[in-house]
């Protein structure tokens, strides 16, 4: 599943090709993805200029004066900017066509999603879509730090890993990055969130920021279904410290890594390095 770094990589890859473009038409090859595509997408988007592409959590927003197209890549979605005459492949569900440039070349923003867990929705101007309401701060923003985690965790008995993956606490820290950040911060993933000190939460917030920043710089993890805008996969997987390494030696102390389900999610950690 594309995680926050892949979505941010997608945003940065699309930005120079999409921002400032005017939409000429929208072609929906099916009426729905995970949810029905609302009529506003095809009715309001044509004629609008894409003012910006923003990311909120793992959603992308194409902002126009008429409102914003709200996209999620789901499990297997990808977005590519292509010449408009590029042959359609299986699972190419949506085309957002742009006006031709001065040389007569026309480009299309094409949404491919084999498993159709992605979505294309509409957020009216000056409204917040219900999917975006109630989300915690962005992990790379100044609003996310050790004090935030400490304050939100008081009285919480849930495992720290489950707490860290709660989108109301902080957005975009999925299973991979939660496991990696907890290893770097030296915190056991099963420890009760409410029992962790402010100092250790500062180390955890710093680890989350460092690892996400690094992953974005490297183009995200290598994921089977994910294709970055230029078609090149990231190569972060070889650098993973604990995620998917259960039973293998800890890269810090050499002891074998533990593996168990925590909050129904596969979790790997070092019982020596993480307390
Ligand atoms: Zn270790």
């Amino acid at each position: 599943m594309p995680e926050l770094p892949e979505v941010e990589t997608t945003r940065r890859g699309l930005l120079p090709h999409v921002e400032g473009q005017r939409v000429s038409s929208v072609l929906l090859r099916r009426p729905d993805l995970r949810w029905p595509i609302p009529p506003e997408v095809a009715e309001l988007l044509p004629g609008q200029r894409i003012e910006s592409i923003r990311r909120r959590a793992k959603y992308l927003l194409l902002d126009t004066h008429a409102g914003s197209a709200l996209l999620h890549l789901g499990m297997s979605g990808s977005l590519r900017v292509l010449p408009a005459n590029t042959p359609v492949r299986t699972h190419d569900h949506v085309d957002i066509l742009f006006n031709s440039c001065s040389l007569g070349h026309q480009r299309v923003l094409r949404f491919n999603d084999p498993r159709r867990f992605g979505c294309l929705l509409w957020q009216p101007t000056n409204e917040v879509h219900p999917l975006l309401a109630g989300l915690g701060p962005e992990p790379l923003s100044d609003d996310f730090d050790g004090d935030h985690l400490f304050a939100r965790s008081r009285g919480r008995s849930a495992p720290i890993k489950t707490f860290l993956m709660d989108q109301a606490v902080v957005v975009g820290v999925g299973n991979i990055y939660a496991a990696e950040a907890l290893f770097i911060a030296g915190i056991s993933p099963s420890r009760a969130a409410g029992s962790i000190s402010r100092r250790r939460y500062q180390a955890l917030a710093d680890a989350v920021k460092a690892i996400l920043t690094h992953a974005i710089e490297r183009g995200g993890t290598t994921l089977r279904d994910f294709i970055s805008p230029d078609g090149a996969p990231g190569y972060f997987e070889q650098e993973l410290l604990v995620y998917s390494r259960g039973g293998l030696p800890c890269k810090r102390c050499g002891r074998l890594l533990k593996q168990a389900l925590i909050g129904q999610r596969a979790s790997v950690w070092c019982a020596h390095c993480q307390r």
Side-chain angles (χ1 to χ4, degrees):
M1 184 193 308
E3 298 229 23
L4 186 145
E6 288 85 357
V7 179
E8 179 61 21
T9 301
T10 296
R11 189 189 74 82
R12 293 181 185 186
L14 294 175
L15 194 62
H17 305 294
V18 171
E19 204 169 66
Q21 298 291 322
R22 196 169 291 280
V23 176
S24 64
S25 61
V26 175
L27 176 58
L28 307 177
R29 295 194 178 82
R30 54 177 304 125
D32 59 351
L33 295 165
R34 181 174 183 177
W35 297 299
I37 298 169
E40 288 92 333
V41 172
E43 288 172 5
L44 298 184
L45 214 44
Q48 291 294 316
R49 183 174 176 274
I50 308 292
E51 303 295 335
S52 63
I53 309 182
R54 281 183 297 139
R55 181 187 57 72
R56 177 70 174 112
K58 295 202 287 183
Y59 293 90
L60 290 171
L61 294 121
L62 304 181
D63 292 329
T64 76
H65 285 303
S68 303
L70 178 64
L71 285 146
H72 195 289
L73 300 176
M75 304 287 286
S76 56
S78 62
L79 286 164
R80 292 179 306 155
V81 177
L82 302 162
N85 60 3
T86 304
V88 172
R89 301 179 308 174
T90 312
H91 311 302
D92 281 342
H93 301 308
V94 177
D95 279 359
I96 297 174
L97 286 130
F98 301 124
N99 281 356
S100 301
C101 72
S102 55
L103 296 173
H105 300 303
Q106 191 183 24
R107 306 248 265 176
V108 58
L109 175 62
R110 187 163 281 173
F111 189 11
N112 183 285
D113 189 1
R115 297 176 68 180
R116 278 188 275 118
F117 282 100
C119 67
L120 173 54
L121 300 169
W122 189 257
Q123 176 174 281
T125 304
N126 298 324
E127 291 184 23
V128 175
H129 193 279
L131 287 170
L132 304 185
L135 292 176
E138 287 288 326
L140 297 177
S141 73
D142 291 340
D143 295 334
F144 175 69
D145 59 13
D147 288 343
H148 170 76
L149 287 174
F150 183 77
R152 288 296 300 265
S153 62
R154 293 309 90 185
R156 299 279 291 264
S157 58
I160 174 61
K161 179 157 173 277
T162 306
F163 172 76
L164 189 60
M165 291 173 63
D166 181 347
Q167 300 297 295
V169 173
V170 57
V171 300
V173 183
N175 203 26
I176 298 173
Y177 298 107
E180 297 293 296
L182 286 164
F183 178 79
I184 290 169
I187 299 171
S188 171
S190 58
R191 180 175 285 280
S195 74
I196 295 169
S197 69
R198 190 186 296 268
R199 181 184 58 79
R200 298 188 85 200
Y201 268 128
Q202 190 57 56
L204 182 59
D206 290 346
V208 167
K209 287 175 190 285
I211 201 164
L212 289 175
T213 300
H214 182 68
I216 290 167
E217 286 168 357
R218 301 295 285 267
T221 47
T222 301
L223 293 164
R224 198 171 49 246
D225 295 330
F226 179 75
I227 304 162
S228 66
D230 60 1
Y235 48 95
F236 186 67
E237 191 170 14
Q238 296 89 323
E239 299 176 278
L240 292 171
L241 297 168
V242 287
Y243 181 80
S244 79
R245 297 193 66 247
L248 296 173
C250 172
K251 290 185 178 180
R252 187 174 291 161
C253 75
R255 293 172 174 83
L256 299 186
L257 297 173
K258 303 272 189 202
Q259 182 165 0
L261 290 177
I262 295 174
Q264 278 77 55
R265 301 300 301 272
S267 302
V268 178
W269 72 101
C270 176
H272 178 72
C273 297
Q274 294 174 257
R275 300 297 176 95

